[in-house]
């Protein structure tokens, strides 16, 4: 069949040849000049709370200018959107394009919007060659210290130039606060500091601003040591729309019918579903509309000397008439039967004069096929086999005899939305603390390496969801895509058809291709490192010194260079994540030495936090009450109020240890579990006592003494080094006294799936009821895979 199609094309005038040297060479230059690795990180969810653990797996899907084997460290940091503050940072070992890890969020973290930034140690021109960001929301399991709310006053007049917003602050039991609350607010280009009146209220008057791209009022409240954040989307009196037209192929040509894609957004860049009249000169010829994604399509046969325009039918939008681009006299139009194709691209082409054409299939980095074609008639139906084209987004560019682009269209080649991972649970509904049996099997004739998360469904905000298929084939190439409200972008064919009609390549353009030169391919390659230096009496040493590290159950020793240099990326200095790590000098005159650490990742974190601009999904978030970001009562354990008790030291049999955690970071919860992940930061935690037995992963373990800060070890230096992943804590929750409010009830990484046999897993539900979601995603030697499943947890 494939041969028959090829012969048919040949008879119609196709003569496949090698790609033109100049275009192929320029695309090679462009690929090197804009070389980036395709890097994806699977986070278990995107809504977290204070004291919670974020689990993640990094996948280097496609290498760029740097080989996969050169990427040895993955750095992950959490940045607060409001002020770009870095909240927490850690580094993890990376090998063969894979990295696994977890980060515990601080107990003191404020609620709001954040981003995880993950990148590897390899640099191109001073920036990471592989970088990924994940938007998250932070909620809290602690009731706020005070109540705060925002409200737009109903009395705001339609013709008023100001918004009137009332801010009210009270105690938790709705009483007046003893003193005014400090307020900082921002709206557009207006920023102000003030405070509430004695009754805890503040009337904020905000003037209407033109061309406002962010309609949110942002408010920070501070009362004594407690802070809170609110934001409110303010209604605009008249919203200004942005309307863009995308004739399929690029141009309207007089006398040639074609499809016209169009896109409507408001001035906050949100898609608008709207109906409109299509005018030819001053006469209505059709009624057209956009979908919920703000995208539509209509056919048009433009006439010479005619003017075409759209009038929006929408009371909330002003400047409602928009003009289509003027049709050219002679040109070329094309129409794809579908932009989502498997193995053959079907299209029709029409021309008003141009005869000698060249069809170019490419992705602006590589030419896959260059086909000369002679237009013997003004209209032709064509089928192009895609044997030499890889899976993913591809551009068809039609060139004239001088290699000038006449028309262009993007499409998805070798599309396949079959379920590649077959998943099933033994039941659809479970009780609290009941065992779940999960079966997985790959439907492809290969093997895959995946990470698996089972999380509470409401811990995934739709607008912040990332999946490896959509990211690899769409998001990493086409930025600022509309939000898919159900399912994933990759598996929604109707969504893809709409998006590919109006979205061109963002990373690459034909203008980029024309402008690129061989000099643009010259890049400076480097790598980030974590280095150490030992000096003696503030001077450079002249012979190696033994330096030790500990943080688990053994001490590791290495020797520095003659000048005192050493690198932290060595096996002996890599510990399990979550352990506090310490350095010490193993020398009899150790107090004469000084340890200095140069962590280049911390410098890069600061640089990225100030320079990265996050593409906010086109759905606004509004927090008008600071209780909105507090977990519901059935999703959290009762948190006891912290009480400070002073007493004499007790070392008797009933002594549990001093409160809090010790210098090694270890603690014991009220249920005698060492470093219990259910109670980090709990005021009832105590320090472990040397020689006592505590439960760890269901096993009783005798605790060894923490030596930090004892006697001769006072010169020990704490450091945050490079880590191996910390294993997920599995529990069957047999102790009925111990609360189990976990939103992530299963996490695993580096699991191998095949089509030869089923993989069986089991885990337990927690005390949280409601809908839970299982997400499996990872890589194969043919691409990426993604699958999901759901089940319900009901109360006993």
């Amino acid at each position: 069949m494939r041969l028959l199609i090829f012969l048919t094309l040949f008879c119609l005038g196709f003569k496949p040849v090698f790609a033109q040297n100049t275009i192929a060479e320029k695309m090679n230059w462009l690929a090197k000049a804009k070389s980036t690795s395709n890097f994806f990180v699977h986070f278990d969810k995107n809504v977290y709370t204070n004291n919670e653990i974020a689990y993640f797996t990094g996948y280097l899907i496609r290498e760029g200018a740097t080989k996969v084997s050169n990427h040895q460290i993955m750095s992950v940091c959490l940045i607060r959107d409001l002020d770009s503050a870095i909240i927490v940072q850690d580094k993890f070992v990376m090998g063969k394009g894979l990295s696994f890890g977890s980060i515990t969020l601080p107990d003191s973290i404020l609620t709001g919007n954040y981003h995880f930034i993950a990148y590897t140690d390899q640099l191109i021109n001073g920036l990471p060659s592989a970088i990924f960001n994940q938007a998250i929301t932070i909620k809290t399991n602690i009731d706020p210290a005070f109540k705060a709310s925002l409200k737009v006053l109903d009395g705001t007049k339609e013709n008023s130039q100001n918004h009137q917003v009332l801010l009210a602050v009270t105690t938790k039991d709705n009483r007046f606060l003893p003193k005014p609350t400090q307020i900082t607010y921002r709206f557009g280009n207006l920023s102000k500091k003030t405070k509430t009146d004695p009754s805890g209220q503040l009337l904020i008057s905000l003037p209407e601003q033109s061309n406002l791209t962010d309609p949110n009022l942002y408010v920070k409240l501070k009362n004594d040591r407690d802070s809170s954040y609110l934001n409110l989307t303010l209604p605009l009196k008249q919203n200004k729309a942005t309307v863009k037209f995308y004739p399929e192929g690029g141009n309207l040509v007089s006398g040639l019918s074609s499809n016209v894609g169009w896109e409507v957004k408001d001035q906050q860049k949100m898609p608008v579903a709207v109906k409109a009249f299509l005018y030819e000169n001053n006469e209505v010829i059709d009624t057209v509309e956009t979908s919920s994604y703000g995208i539509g399509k209509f056919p048009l046969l433009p006439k010479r000397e005619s003017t075409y325009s759209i009038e929006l039918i929408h009371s909330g939008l002003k400047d409602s008439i928009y003009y289509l681009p003027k049709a050219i006299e002679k040109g070329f139009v094309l129409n794809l039967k579908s932009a989502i194709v498997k193995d053959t691209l079907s299209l029709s082409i029409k021309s008003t004069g141009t005869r000698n054409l060249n069809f170019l299939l490419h992705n602006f980095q590589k030419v896959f096929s260059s086909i000369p074609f002679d237009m013997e008639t003004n209209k032709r139906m064509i089928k192009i086999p895609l044997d030499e084209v890889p899976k993913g987004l591809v551009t068809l560019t039609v060139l004239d005899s001088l290699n000038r682009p006449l028309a262009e269209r993007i499409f998805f080649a070798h599309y396949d939305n079959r379920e590649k991972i077959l998943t099933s649970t033994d039941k659809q509904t479970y009780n609290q603390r009941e065992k779940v049996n999960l079966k997985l099997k790959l439907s492809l004739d290969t093997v895959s390496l995946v990470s698996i998360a089972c999380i509470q469904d409401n811990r995934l905000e739709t607008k912040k969801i990332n999946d490896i298929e959509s990211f690899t084939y769409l998001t990493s190439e086409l930025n600022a895509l509309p939000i898919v409200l159900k399912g994933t972008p990759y598996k929604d064919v109707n969504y893809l058809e709409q998006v590919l009609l109006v979205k061109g390549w963002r990373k690459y353009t034909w203008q980029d291709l024309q402008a690129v030169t061989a000099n643009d391919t010259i890049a400076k390659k480097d790598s980030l490192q974590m280095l150490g230096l030992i000096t003696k009496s503030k001077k450079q040493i002249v012979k190696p010194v033994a330096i030790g590290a500990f943080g688990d159950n053994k001490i590791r020793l290495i020797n520095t260079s003659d000048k005192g240099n050493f690198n932290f990326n060595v096996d002996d200095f890599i510990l399990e994540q979550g352990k506090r790590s310490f350095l010490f000098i193993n020398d009899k005159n150790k107090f004469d030495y000084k340890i200095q650490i140069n962590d280049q990742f911390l410098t890069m974190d600061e640089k990225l936090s100030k320079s990265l601009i996050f593409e906010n999904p086109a759905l606004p978030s509004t927090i008008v009450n600071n209780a909105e970001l507090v977990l519901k009562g059935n999703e959290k354990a009762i948190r006891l109020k912290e009480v400070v008790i002073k007493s004499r030291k007790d070392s008797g049999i009933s002594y549990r240890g001093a409160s809090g955690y010790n210098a090694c970071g270890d603690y014991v919860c009220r249920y005698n579990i060492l470093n219990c992940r259910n109670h980090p930061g709990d005021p009832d935690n105590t320090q472990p006592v040397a020689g006592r037995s505590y439960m760890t992963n269901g096993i009783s373990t005798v605790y060894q003494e923490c030596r930090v800060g004892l006697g001769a070890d006072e010169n020990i230096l704490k450091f945050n080094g490079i880590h191996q992943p910390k294993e997920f804590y599995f529990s069957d929750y047999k102790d009925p006294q111990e609360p189990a409010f976990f939103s992530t009830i299963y996490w695993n990484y580096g699991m191998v799936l095949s089509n030869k046999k089923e993989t069986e897993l089991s885990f337990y539900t927690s005390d949280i009821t409601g809908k839970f979601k299982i997400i499996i995603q990872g890589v194969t030697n043919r691409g990426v895979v993604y699958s999901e499943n759901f089940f319900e947890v009901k109360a006993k």
Side-chain angles (χ1 to χ4, degrees):
M1 182 64 184
R2 181 67 58 191
L3 181 60
L4 178 61
I5 295 174
F6 182 83
L7 291 175
T8 303
L9 288 170
F10 188 83
C11 294
L12 287 173
F14 281 98
K15 296 178 182 179
V17 297
F18 291 108
Q20 304 251 350
N21 290 337
T22 53
I23 294 178
E25 188 175 41
K26 275 187 166 283
M27 286 193 180
N28 184 44
W29 292 345
L30 189 61
K32 292 181 178 179
K34 293 191 173 185
S35 176
T36 55
S37 302
N38 200 336
F39 182 50
F40 177 82
V41 182
H42 173 197
F43 287 86
D44 59 326
K45 54 199 173 197
N46 59 42
V47 177
Y48 295 92
T49 68
N50 52 316
N51 275 331
E52 201 164 22
I53 301 175
Y55 298 94
F56 43 83
T57 297
Y59 297 94
L60 195 60
I61 300 168
R62 184 188 66 232
E63 69 178 24
T66 308
K67 293 182 179 179
V68 170
S69 58
N70 290 348
H71 297 260
Q72 298 181 3
I73 300 172
M74 178 179 73
S75 177
V76 180
C77 67
L78 181 63
I79 298 174
R80 185 164 55 214
D81 290 3
L82 189 67
D83 55 7
S84 300
I86 298 172
I87 307 303
V88 64
Q89 186 269 355
D90 212 338
K91 297 167 286 294
F92 302 89
V93 176
M94 190 170 204
K96 298 182 180 180
L98 298 168
S99 184
F100 319 104
S102 62
I103 285 180
T104 301
L105 302 179
D107 182 55
S108 59
I109 192 170
L110 298 175
T111 58
N113 294 314
Y114 292 74
H115 272 80
F116 272 118
I117 304 298
Y119 59 93
T120 70
D121 55 337
Q122 296 302 300
L123 303 180
I124 300 292
N125 295 327
L127 290 174
S129 64
I131 187 169
F132 178 85
N133 76 79
Q134 172 65 58
I136 68 167
T137 299
I138 298 293
K139 294 188 175 184
T140 181
N141 54 24
I142 306 172
D143 292 329
F146 55 85
K147 289 183 178 180
S149 63
L150 290 172
K151 181 181 179 181
V152 178
L153 296 184
D154 296 332
T156 301
K157 303 296 184 183
E158 187 67 28
N159 57 359
S160 172
Q161 297 300 309
N162 289 353
H163 295 285
Q164 301 292 329
V165 180
L166 180 64
L167 170 65
V169 187
T170 66
T171 63
K172 289 191 290 185
D173 54 355
N174 298 314
R175 298 176 182 272
F176 290 150
L177 289 168
K179 59 182 180 180
T181 302
Q182 301 296 319
I183 306 296
T184 304
Y185 65 85
R186 174 171 57 86
F187 177 67
N189 56 17
L190 175 66
S191 182
K192 191 173 181 179
K193 291 185 177 181
T194 182
K195 59 183 178 180
T196 59
D197 61 23
S199 66
Q201 294 187 338
L202 174 67
L203 182 62
I204 303 175
S205 182
L206 302 169
E208 185 80 15
Q209 299 183 28
S210 60
N211 300 320
L212 190 66
T213 57
D214 185 355
N216 282 286
L217 165 66
Y218 297 95
V219 180
K220 178 183 178 181
L221 306 91
K222 184 173 178 59
N223 188 271
D224 288 334
R225 294 180 299 173
D226 300 307
S227 297
S228 191
Y229 293 90
L230 300 176
N231 65 279
L232 172 65
T233 302
L234 297 179
L236 297 176
K237 302 295 188 301
Q238 275 192 310
N239 211 336
K240 185 176 181 180
T242 299
V243 179
K244 294 183 178 180
F245 299 99
Y246 303 89
E248 188 172 14
N251 290 306
L252 292 175
V253 181
S254 296
L256 297 181
S257 63
S258 63
N259 291 321
V260 179
W262 66 303
E263 186 178 25
V264 182
K265 293 182 178 180
D266 63 19
Q267 64 191 67
Q268 283 77 48
K269 299 182 179 180
M270 290 179 58
V272 179
V274 66
K275 289 187 177 181
F277 295 124
L278 173 61
Y279 285 87
E280 182 181 88
N281 298 322
N282 295 318
E283 182 180 349
V284 176
I285 59 173
D286 201 355
T287 301
V288 297
E289 63 182 1
T290 61
S291 68
S292 58
Y293 302 121
I295 301 171
K297 180 177 72 171
F298 57 86
L300 182 65
L301 176 59
K303 299 176 182 177
R304 187 178 287 107
E305 304 300 332
S306 291
T307 301
Y308 297 89
S309 62
I310 287 284
E311 181 182 8
L312 302 181
I313 309 172
H314 198 296
S315 60
L317 299 173
K318 62 181 180 179
D319 299 330
S320 58
I321 297 179
Y322 301 85
Y323 290 90
L324 277 70
K326 190 173 179 59
I328 60 178
E329 288 294 321
K330 292 185 177 182
F332 181 97
V333 299
L334 61 83
N335 170 242
L336 298 189
K337 183 179 179 180
S338 172
I340 313 302
V341 300
K342 290 190 176 181
D343 303 321
T344 304
L345 179 67
S346 299
L347 66 148
S348 66
I349 56 174
K350 304 171 189 176
S351 176
T352 58
T354 304
R355 296 294 183 185
N356 298 320
L357 304 173
N358 188 25
F359 285 19
L360 205 67
L361 293 177
H362 63 94
N363 63 357
F364 282 102
Q365 300 176 76
K366 183 178 180 181
V367 175
F368 306 119
S369 183
S370 179
I371 309 171
F373 182 73
D374 185 16
M375 280 287 290
E376 297 173 355
T377 62
N378 289 340
K379 182 178 180 180
R380 298 289 292 273
M381 302 295 294
I382 299 172
K383 291 185 177 181
I384 304 176
L386 302 176
D387 293 339
E388 304 302 320
V389 176
K391 180 179 179 178
L393 297 180
V394 181
T395 294
L396 167 65
T397 303
V398 181
L399 307 172
D400 65 10
S401 58
L402 298 178
N403 283 336
R404 295 175 299 190
L406 301 176
E408 195 165 85
R409 184 69 155 91
I410 190 172
F411 65 95
F412 197 111
H414 304 295
Y415 180 76
D416 179 11
N417 63 354
R418 294 176 302 162
E419 286 296 336
K420 301 174 182 64
I421 303 176
L422 306 177
T423 67
S424 64
T425 55
D426 55 337
K427 296 164 60 175
Q428 286 299 305
T429 303
Y430 296 88
N431 291 321
Q432 294 166 303
R433 304 195 181 198
E434 186 177 358
K435 188 175 184 179
V436 178
N437 294 304
L438 173 66
K439 292 183 179 180
L440 307 172
K441 189 176 182 180
L442 200 65
S443 63
L444 304 174
D445 186 19
T446 182
V447 295
S448 67
L449 196 75
V450 300
S451 46
I452 304 170
C454 183
I455 66 274
Q456 185 183 2
D457 187 54
N458 66 8
R459 291 299 196 96
L460 291 167
E461 284 188 9
T462 300
K463 65 180 181 178
K464 296 180 179 179
I465 289 177
N466 268 316
D467 71 273
I468 198 168
E469 279 184 320
S470 301
F471 176 83
T472 300
Y473 297 118
L474 298 171
T475 313
S476 62
E477 302 290 354
L478 306 174
N479 297 325
L481 295 178
I483 299 298
V484 175
L485 297 179
K486 187 176 181 180
T488 66
Y490 175 81
K491 293 187 176 178
D492 190 334
V493 175
N494 180 50
Y495 170 86
L496 293 177
E497 289 280 9
Q498 294 183 59
V499 165
L500 296 187
L501 180 63
V502 301
K503 300 288 186 184
W505 290 93
R506 297 301 176 90
K507 285 186 178 179
Y508 312 97
T509 65
W510 198 262
Q511 290 76 12
D512 290 340
L513 188 66
Q514 291 177 317
V516 71
T517 67
N519 291 333
D520 296 323
T521 65
I522 301 173
K524 180 183 178 182
K525 298 182 181 180
D526 203 350
S527 63
L528 295 170
Q529 299 183 70
M530 185 174 179
L531 305 173
L533 175 66
I534 305 298
T535 57
K536 184 177 182 180
S537 302
K538 299 182 180 181
K539 296 180 181 180
Q540 186 181 86
I541 63 176
V542 294
K543 63 180 181 179
V545 173
I547 186 170
F550 68 91
D552 49 15
N553 56 3
K554 65 178 181 179
I555 295 177
R556 301 110 185 278
L557 296 175
I558 67 167
N559 289 320
T560 68
S561 68
D562 291 344
K563 296 182 179 180
N565 298 301
F566 63 96
N567 195 319
F568 283 86
N569 191 18
V570 293
D571 291 341
D572 285 333
F573 274 7
I574 295 174
L575 307 177
E576 181 185 295
Q577 195 276 336
K579 296 290 185 181
R580 295 194 173 198
S581 306
F582 300 89
L583 292 177
F584 64 93
I585 304 295
N586 188 32
D587 189 273
K588 62 181 180 179
N589 298 316
K590 56 188 174 184
F591 293 104
D592 295 334
Y593 293 91
K594 182 180 180 181
I595 306 173
Q596 300 177 46
I597 297 177
N598 176 20
D599 190 343
Q600 298 173 0
F601 292 91
L602 299 182
T603 305
M604 181 57 67
D605 290 343
E606 291 287 345
K607 183 176 181 180
L608 293 176
S609 70
K610 300 297 188 294
S611 62
L612 286 181
I613 299 176
F614 303 118
E615 292 276 356
N616 290 320
L619 284 176
S621 62
T622 296
I623 305 169
V624 298
N625 190 304
N626 62 347
E628 291 182 23
L629 292 180
V630 180
L631 292 184
K632 298 177 182 178
N634 63 347
E635 297 178 6
K636 62 180 180 179
I638 297 175
R639 186 163 174 139
L640 301 179
K641 185 176 180 180
E642 185 171 357
V643 178
V644 178
I645 301 175
K646 297 180 179 180
S647 65
R648 70 181 189 276
K649 186 174 180 180
D650 183 5
S651 57
I653 191 67
S654 61
Y655 178 61
R656 289 187 55 211
S659 63
Y661 55 83
N662 62 20
C664 295
D666 298 323
Y667 62 90
V668 179
C669 77
R670 70 189 78 164
Y671 301 102
N672 206 47
I673 299 175
L674 180 66
N675 298 328
C676 174
R677 76 182 184 105
N678 201 24
H679 300 100
D682 192 300
D684 200 34
N685 289 346
T686 58
Q687 299 179 26
V689 178
R692 295 274 181 90
S693 294
Y694 303 102
M695 298 301 295
T696 304
N697 293 330
I699 302 173
S700 180
T701 305
V702 177
Y703 184 77
Q704 305 298 319
E705 185 178 25
C706 175
R707 296 292 303 170
V708 178
L710 299 178
D713 292 337
E714 288 289 350
N715 70 327
I716 290 176
L717 176 67
K718 186 177 103 174
F719 73 98
N720 185 28
I722 303 164
H723 296 114
Q724 295 283 5
K726 182 179 182 179
E727 296 302 320
F728 183 81
Y729 175 72
F730 295 98
S731 176
D732 55 10
Y733 312 122
K734 288 183 177 180
D735 185 350
Q737 298 298 321
E738 182 185 357
F741 290 95
F742 299 121
S743 59
T744 297
I745 59 176
Y746 184 81
W747 169 261
N748 215 332
Y749 58 87
M751 293 204 64
V752 178
L753 304 182
S754 76
N755 67 337
K756 303 299 183 184
K757 64 175 183 177
E758 285 185 329
T759 299
E760 297 185 9
L761 306 171
S762 62
F763 51 91
Y764 285 80
T765 61
S766 64
D767 287 340
I768 297 176
T769 58
K771 190 177 182 180
F772 278 75
K773 186 174 185 178
I774 302 170
I775 295 176
I776 308 104
Q777 54 187 337
V779 294
T780 73
N781 57 358
R782 300 179 187 174
V784 296
V785 290
Y786 175 88
S787 185
E788 58 187 42
N789 205 336
F790 297 89
F791 62 83
E792 193 86 12
V793 177
K794 294 186 176 181
K796 290 182 180 180

